[in-house]
Amino acid sequence: MELYKRIIEIVDANLIHCLIPIILILILLELIFKNRFETKKVLNLIRWTIIIYTIVTFTFYLIGMAMNPNEYAFINRATGPYAWAYWIMFLGALILPLTLYIRKLASKFWYVLLVAFGMKSGMYFERFVIIVTSFHRDYGTEYWNNGLMESASYGIGIFFLQGLVIVMLTLGIFEIIKRKKLGTTKYKING
């Protein structure tokens, strides 16, 4: 179970947290280079990555709740004073990604962007709360607040850099596949 949890953490850090920059870069490429690159195929790959990730993590969550219910405080969170926020985050992480089975919705960049944001809205809200509360600390030094902002902007920059690298790699792979298909088609026509 620990290995499984570690694998999910690695996928989270290196792919899922970068989904918003990946989709934003794809939108930008589609706007600038109208139908030049295989952006729709990359979006479809992202769609299936989101669906598979959602199913795997929800299965892990259910198994964890069944094996160790004390570690997963579902009842307390789902009925406590912030139940509305918990249910929004829970449904955003479970139901919203499964709507990508609908092909018409999944082919729209902005909808997939909304799903990517909904999946990790809890993480974004948690980081927002940490940053805002750290600004209002009375015992922190001024340097500490500057260091926090540099750290936060560094983290966002790393996510965008990872997203850029992932987009370049996947678009490169799809372009190579497209060229190989075109090359074999030309050879059959000419040969």
Side-chain angles (χ1 to χ4, degrees):
M1 198 70 160
E2 281 299 316
L3 176 65
Y4 191 68
K5 187 176 182 179
R6 183 67 182 143
I7 290 171
I8 289 175
E9 288 173 357
I10 291 171
V11 170
D12 254 353
N14 293 307
L15 182 64
I16 302 301
H17 291 254
C18 302
L19 282 177
I20 290 178
I22 289 171
I23 298 167
L24 287 174
I25 293 168
L26 284 175
I27 290 171
L28 185 66
L29 286 173
E30 185 66 24
L31 288 173
I32 294 173
F33 302 106
K34 301 258 190 238
N35 298 325
R36 163 62 182 95
F37 296 109
E38 301 287 334
T39 55
K40 291 288 187 178
K41 288 185 180 180
V42 174
L43 188 68
N44 193 38
L45 178 67
I46 291 170
R47 163 196 179 199
W48 285 107
T49 302
I50 289 172
I51 291 171
I52 291 168
Y53 174 82
T54 300
I55 292 170
V56 168
T57 54
F58 187 63
T59 305
F60 176 72
Y61 186 78
L62 288 176
I63 291 170
M65 263 183 28
M67 292 177 65
N68 194 359
N70 295 334
E71 197 172 311
Y72 295 84
F74 178 77
I75 301 297
N76 293 340
R77 292 178 183 160
T79 59
Y82 299 106
W84 60 273
Y86 180 75
W87 281 106
I88 289 172
M89 289 184 288
F90 184 74
L91 294 175
L94 179 64
I95 303 299
L96 201 57
L98 295 180
T99 61
L100 291 177
Y101 275 119
I102 303 169
R103 191 177 303 227
K104 193 170 185 175
L105 289 176
S107 66
K108 301 194 182 319
F109 286 100
W110 294 105
Y111 186 75
V112 178
L113 183 68
L114 173 74
V115 169
F117 182 77
M119 281 176 61
K120 291 298 177 181
S121 62
M123 179 204 67
Y124 299 135
F125 183 69
E126 177 185 11
R127 291 194 179 172
F128 172 75
V129 168
I130 289 170
I131 290 171
V132 168
T133 55
S134 67
F135 282 137
H136 297 289
R137 292 179 17 172
D138 291 337
Y139 54 88
T141 63
E142 185 176 317
Y143 172 75
W144 188 86
N145 283 338
N146 289 338
L148 177 72
M149 281 311 293
E150 288 174 8
S151 173
S153 61
Y154 177 76
I156 292 170
I158 290 295
F159 284 147
F160 268 91
L161 186 61
Q162 279 180 304
L164 181 65
V165 169
I166 291 170
V167 166
M168 288 173 43
L169 286 174
T170 52
L171 282 175
I173 290 169
F174 280 116
E175 285 295 317
I176 289 170
I177 291 170
K178 182 173 91 173
R179 296 234 171 123
K180 282 194 176 209
K181 283 183 182 178
L182 287 176
T184 57
T185 307
K186 285 181 183 177
Y187 180 72
K188 287 180 182 177
I189 292 172
N190 293 333

